[in-house]
Amino acid sequence: MSPLVLFHLAALLLLGFGLYGLTSRRSLVGMLISVELMLNGAGLALVASARLTPASDELGQLGTLLVMGLAAAEATLVLAMVLVAAKRWGTSDSDRLSALKG
Amino acid sequence: MEQLAHAAYGLYLVLILAGAWAAVRCRNLVRALLGLIMTLFGVAGMYFLMAAPFMALMQILIYVGAVSVLIFFAIMLTRTPGGEAGEEGGGARPAVRTVLALLSGLLPAAILAAVILTKAPQSLPLKPELPLGRLGQFLTGPYVLAFELISVVLLAAMAGAVVLGFERRKSA
């Protein structure tokens, strides 16, 4: 297998694990961890494509950098939302957060 | 050299696999977070392997340094009244849930893997390492709009987090 395929398979592994965790986890923080796994897989695939194909190297690496920035912003917002949910309902279990209007 | 690269790839893959397994399976969220950090280091190693050291260092700086600390705060601040912080409650997971989750994880990955294995373009030899100056020129030249937009998004996220935090304190 060529290096490109190997790196993309590693990225796919991260995607699969992330999707599995996102659907099987009950707590919101566990789901956030799974989303970070998937975002990492996306970054790995982007950099692999940029480094090992004729595509623009700068574009791929900067794209990954922007993905990392978005992940940081997303983690900040999710932290605040989880805190609000935990304060209001006393739990961060996604199965028990079913009220649409508190 | 070729074998050395394959050995390094295998090592990083094992790191990623073990970390991801811990991240999605551990009942204790702190252990899951440690698994995530292990995975992040594995991905950083893969960036090094692709001769993209800047990306690897940014991965360690942003993900391991900032995002995982944020997640750790989230774990510690959401402890249940009676329970231990970071324990995922709800008893044993139903088997149906695990099977469905496995399906939802495996199916998209398997389809994409089939596409990659059959349609992947020829892999080029690794390009020479990109000098950091070129990245900076790109970021301030053709992609300056994306650069500014990500700052605005970050600012909006921070402001949103602060607003949500204040609202929480007022209603308490």
Side-chain angles (χ1 to χ4, degrees):
Chain A
M1 276 191 278
S2 65
L4 183 68
V5 173
L6 283 177
F7 282 120
H8 272 282
L9 286 183
L12 271 182
L13 207 75
L14 283 172
L15 172 77
F17 268 110
L19 279 174
Y20 170 76
L22 193 65
T23 35
S24 73
R25 280 273 182 206
R26 311 184 88 136
S27 66
L28 293 175
V29 181
M31 292 162 86
L32 174 62
I33 290 177
S34 309
V35 170
E36 298 296 337
L37 277 183
M38 283 196 277
L39 283 171
N40 250 276
L44 186 60
L46 268 177
V47 173
S49 303
R51 298 289 300 163
L52 296 167
T53 64
S56 159
D57 204 352
E58 295 91 345
L59 193 54
Q61 296 202 21
L62 283 183
T64 309
L65 206 59
L66 294 189
V67 168
M68 286 181 191
L70 279 180
E74 170 248 345
T76 318
L77 260 188
V78 170
L79 166 67
M81 286 154 76
V82 169
L83 283 189
V84 169
K87 190 85 182 174
R88 195 171 288 174
W89 288 285
T91 176
S92 64
D93 188 335
S94 59
D95 283 357
R96 282 197 273 159
L97 297 177
S98 52
L100 277 179
K101 192 176 178 189
Chain B
M1 231 29 211
E2 180 91 21
Q3 269 146 14
L4 206 62
H6 274 103
Y9 175 85
L11 175 72
Y12 298 142
L13 193 65
V14 167
L15 270 184
I16 289 178
L17 258 177
W21 179 259
V24 296
R25 287 298 297 180
C26 273
R27 300 299 301 260
N28 189 323
L29 285 176
V30 178
R31 285 193 192 155
L33 177 62
L34 286 179
L36 175 69
I37 292 175
M38 202 162 146
T39 307
L40 297 177
F41 273 115
V43 174
M46 287 210 169
Y47 288 154
F48 271 123
L49 204 56
M50 282 186 273
F54 179 65
M55 296 318 298
L57 292 177
M58 279 300 116
Q59 165 96 356
I60 293 173
L61 195 72
I62 298 178
Y63 270 115
V64 182
V67 172
S68 40
V69 172
L70 268 178
I71 297 176
F72 191 68
F73 268 108
I75 293 172
M76 282 300 135
L77 291 173
T78 54
R79 64 175 67 208
T80 48
E84 187 92 358
E87 287 296 336
E88 195 166 50
R93 295 180 206 203
V96 177
R97 193 185 182 113
T98 307
V99 170
L100 286 180
L102 259 181
L103 201 67
S104 75
L106 275 180
L107 208 60
I111 292 171
L112 288 174
V115 172
I116 287 175
L117 286 175
T118 52
K119 299 260 192 265
Q122 198 60 43
S123 179
L124 292 186
L126 208 55
K127 299 175 198 172
E129 189 186 320
L130 193 66
L132 207 48
R134 290 272 302 151
L135 274 183
Q137 278 168 3
F138 249 67
L139 206 52
T140 50
Y143 293 100
V144 68
L145 186 63
F147 182 56
E148 295 297 331
L149 275 180
I150 197 96
S151 335
V152 173
V153 167
L154 269 171
L155 178 70
M158 303 288 164
V162 170
V163 167
L164 281 175
F166 271 130
E167 199 181 36
R168 179 174 63 92
R169 192 165 293 171
K170 210 166 32 182
S171 67

